[in-house]
Amino acid sequence: MGLFHRESGSAPSETEPAATVVRSDEEWREQLSPAEYQVLRQAGTERPFVGEYTDTTTVGVYNCRACGAELFRSETKFPSHCGWPSFYAPEDAAVIERVDTSLGMRRVEVVCAACKSHLGHVFEGEGYGTPTDLRYCINSISMTLQPAE
């Protein structure tokens, strides 16, 4: 599996855009709960089937819990039954995808483009009937849902 790049369809360059939301480690620790910090800033993963948005069907926008940037819309959320919220596409330029070789395997990590917080991973070719054949597997604790009015 390669890196995905939504804007142009080609592989991303070696350099990433700089974070627009920059805080010190101490500031992140003050702002986030210990569980949020572990996932968002240390690339942890919450346990499957326990996140508040795993099965949510509420219409709205999912924002980064760390910085508030818009990440996904409910229209792109789908039931994957994998234990975490799944989306088939992020908002334009909302996320950065990078190779993750931790745990002895090759995956593609998804981070917030604005603050570089860890959100989850993206997988392709799993056979879900979505327009992109991608599954953005995102930790609930990485997001907040802003319901539509």
Side-chain angles (χ1 to χ4, degrees):
M1 174 173 27
L3 284 175
F4 315 114
H5 188 62
R6 296 293 140 238
E7 292 85 28
S8 66
S10 62
S13 68
E14 291 288 325
T15 60
E16 294 179 358
T20 56
V21 177
V22 179
R23 294 189 175 95
S24 69
D25 188 59
E26 183 177 310
E27 290 171 317
W28 284 123
R29 286 182 186 276
E30 289 174 10
Q31 175 188 331
L32 302 169
S33 74
E36 292 167 347
Y37 181 85
Q38 197 267 332
V39 171
L40 288 158
R41 303 309 301 170
Q42 296 181 313
T45 301
E46 66 188 342
R47 292 187 339 263
F49 301 104
V50 300
E52 66 181 305
Y53 303 127
T54 301
D55 298 316
T56 300
T57 58
T58 304
V59 174
V61 176
Y62 290 85
N63 299 314
C64 176
R65 190 173 298 256
C67 73
E70 287 188 15
L71 300 171
F72 300 93
R73 296 205 169 258
S74 60
E75 293 82 13
T76 65
K77 189 172 188 285
F78 68 98
S80 67
H81 310 289
C82 71
W84 294 273
S86 296
F87 303 85
Y88 62 80
E91 288 294 286
D92 287 341
V95 302
I96 294 169
E97 298 159 357
R98 49 168 88 137
V99 172
D100 172 7
T101 57
S102 66
L103 304 178
M105 64 182 94
R106 189 170 194 276
R107 301 180 293 171
V108 177
E109 179 187 22
V110 178
V111 299
C112 174
C115 70
K116 302 293 194 276
S117 288
H118 174 78
L119 304 171
H121 291 85
V122 60
F123 304 93
E124 69 177 330
E126 296 179 316
Y128 290 103
T130 62
T132 63
D133 198 26
L134 298 174
R135 177 174 59 94
Y136 287 82
C137 184
I138 306 298
N139 292 286
S140 287
I141 201 167
S142 296
M143 304 178 292
T144 56
L145 172 61
Q146 179 183 344
E149 294 182 24

